[in-house]
């Protein structure tokens, strides 16, 4: 989490002579050598663009299931999502944004509540974890018209949601590539005298049910 206590611990680590690379969610206030991951603001903007295109000009309400705004990555995704809605899809309004601390049980309860309160809900954007709770709620509530459901990270569970038409698209950050690049960047930081290496974002992948990778 991007928190003063976390930043202080990371500074102490670097001052002890240990090289530091942040993954997935950055902590810019820490003296890390590199950040390896997607541009989370762009990922949120992409989610909003997809949501707007999927809904084809319809007017209505959306819900956001936010993991934790203490993670800069989640905060940036939410910011990017809201920005594109305001710029291009003013017909769509986020009427519910629940922070669930990446707990599936909380996301399930929050989703059931919003589906009950807004039977005409058009879409759900799951910013972090908690997607299994959203999926469970959609299966149980069985809305007359399923909301467009967008989330992050390709897992065994999200593969199944895609194939079963419960989930519309996954914005995947390619964990294998992040792992490979983190090792490369870490070795590069050890070999270089520069305190910080040039930032290079991982390109996110858009996964639909028709292009789910084998692995």
């Amino acid at each position: 989490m991007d928190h003063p206590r976390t930043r202080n611990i990371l500074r102490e680590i670097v001052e002890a002579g240990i090289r530091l690379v942040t993954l997935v969610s950055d902590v810019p206030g820490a003296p890390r050598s590199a950040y390896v991951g997607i541009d989370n603001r762009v990922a949120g903007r992409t989610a909003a663009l997809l949501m707007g295109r999927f809904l084809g000009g319809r007017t209505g309400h959306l819900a956001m299931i936010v993991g934790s705004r203490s993670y800069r990555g989640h905060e940036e995704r939410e910011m990017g999502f809201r920005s594109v809605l305001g710029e291009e899809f003013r017909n769509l309004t986020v009427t519910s944004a629940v922070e669930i601390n990446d707990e599936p049980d909380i996301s399930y309860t929050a989703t059931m509540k919003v589906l009950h309160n807004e039977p005409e809900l058009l879409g759900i954007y799951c910013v972090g974890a908690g997607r299994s709770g959203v999926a469970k709620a959609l299966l149980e509530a069985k809305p007359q018209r399923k909301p467009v459901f967008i989330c992050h990270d390709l897992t065994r569970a999200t593969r199944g949601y895609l194939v079963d038409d419960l989930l519309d698209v996954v914005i995947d950050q390619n964990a294998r590539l992040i792992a490979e690049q983190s090792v490369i960047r870490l070795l590069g930081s050890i070999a270089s005298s520069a305190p910080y290496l040039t930032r290079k974002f991982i390109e996110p992948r858009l996964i639909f049910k028709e292009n789910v990778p084998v692995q």
Side-chain angles (χ1 to χ4, degrees), residues 48 79-92:
M79 179 173 60
F81 187 82
R82 290 182 182 275
S83 293
V84 169
L85 291 185
E87 294 165 9
E88 300 189 37
F89 303 105
R90 294 186 179 179
N91 52 305
L92 300 175

Side-chain angles (χ1 to χ4, degrees), residues 14-36:
V14 173
E15 288 170 0
I18 297 172
R19 297 289 180 158
L20 171 67
V21 171
T22 55
L23 307 178
V24 181
S25 184
D26 199 10
V27 186
R32 76 277 192 271
S33 297
Y35 162 68
V36 180

Side-chain angles (χ1 to χ4, degrees), residues 33-105:
S33 297
Y35 162 68
V36 180
I38 62 174
D39 184 327
N40 283 294
R41 188 168 184 275
V42 168
R45 291 179 65 86
T46 301
L49 182 65
L50 289 166
M51 185 70 76
R53 296 283 176 85
F54 275 135
L55 291 171
R58 293 166 61 193
T59 297
H61 297 165
L62 307 176
M64 293 182 67
I65 303 297
V66 182
S68 172
R69 294 184 179 95
S70 296
Y71 291 113
R72 178 175 288 266
H74 291 188
E75 186 179 44
E76 290 174 344
R77 289 175 188 176
E78 180 180 3
M79 179 173 60
F81 187 82
R82 290 182 182 275
S83 293
V84 169
L85 291 185
E87 294 165 9
E88 300 189 37
F89 303 105
R90 294 186 179 179
N91 52 305
L92 300 175
T93 305
V94 176
T95 55
S96 175
V98 182
E99 192 170 3
I100 55 116
N101 293 315
D102 285 342
E103 292 290 341
D105 289 344

Side-chain angles (χ1 to χ4, degrees), residues 137-156:
L138 288 172
L139 282 170
E140 291 187 9
K142 296 180 180 178
Q144 187 172 7
R145 176 179 286 179
K146 185 191 75 67
V148 173
F149 179 21
I150 298 174
C151 75
H152 292 264
D153 299 333
L154 187 66
T155 66
R156 178 174 293 182

